[in-house]
Amino acid sequence: MRVNSFLHPVTFNSDIASVNNTYSTDRKHTVTLGSFPAGSSFTGKLQQITIFVSSIASSAANMTFKITKDSAGNKILTDTTAGAFTIGETATTGSLTFVPEYPIYVAGSDTVYIWYKVDTGSCTVDSDSHLIWEE
């Protein structure tokens, strides 16, 4: 018997400006993961999260993020220091990738919220940031 898995890329579709050293309700992405049927409980394995940043200012070097199942940020699915930015050819741009490879379950919804903060200074999380999940 052969069992296949499917990878689902999900882009974030908006920039989040002025990410600084605290989490804030106005600096998070609302991400619909794409369960079937739409809006149903989500069960999947997070494979990769890639965060592209620009406008890096005042020595911002490391990012911490959390993924929550509620928009208030209280029901945390994961919270991690993703690490240092890999700086692009333009010194104020960069990226980082986190590979959690673990399952998550969100009861009654396929929406999660991704919150960001940096160690010092500020940056913008770019709209082409994305995650990949596996079913």
Side-chain angles (χ1 to χ4, degrees):
M1 176 190 327
R2 183 174 174 172
V3 177
N4 292 325
S5 62
F6 299 95
L7 298 176
H8 301 270
V10 180
T11 56
F12 299 164
N13 298 324
S14 64
D15 290 348
I16 304 292
S18 303
V19 171
N20 60 24
N21 65 349
T22 60
Y23 290 126
S24 175
T25 57
D26 64 343
R27 291 189 301 272
K28 68 178 184 297
H29 277 117
T30 301
V31 179
T32 302
L33 297 168
S35 293
F36 183 81
S40 63
S41 295
F42 174 82
T43 302
K45 186 178 194 182
L46 289 179
Q47 290 288 18
Q48 175 183 329
I49 300 168
T50 300
I51 300 169
F52 296 107
V53 296
S54 59
S55 304
I56 299 171
S58 301
S59 303
N62 295 287
M63 178 172 280
T64 300
F65 69 91
K66 67 180 176 179
I67 301 175
T68 66
K69 66 181 269 180
D70 68 312
S71 63
N74 297 317
K75 297 184 178 182
I76 300 166
L77 298 168
T78 185
D79 186 4
T80 187
T81 298
F85 297 128
T86 299
I87 301 301
E89 294 303 314
T90 303
T92 60
T93 64
S95 65
L96 54 91
T97 297
F98 177 63
V99 183
E101 294 188 337
Y102 65 87
I104 63 167
Y105 172 70
V106 182
S109 177
D110 65 348
T111 300
V112 295
Y113 304 88
I114 303 179
W115 305 67
Y116 311 94
K117 66 180 181 177
V118 292
D119 54 344
T120 186
S122 65
C123 69
T124 295
V125 175
D126 296 336
S127 62
D128 55 346
S129 299
H130 61 272
L131 64 79
I132 299 171
W133 66 273
E134 177 183 14
E135 66 173 295

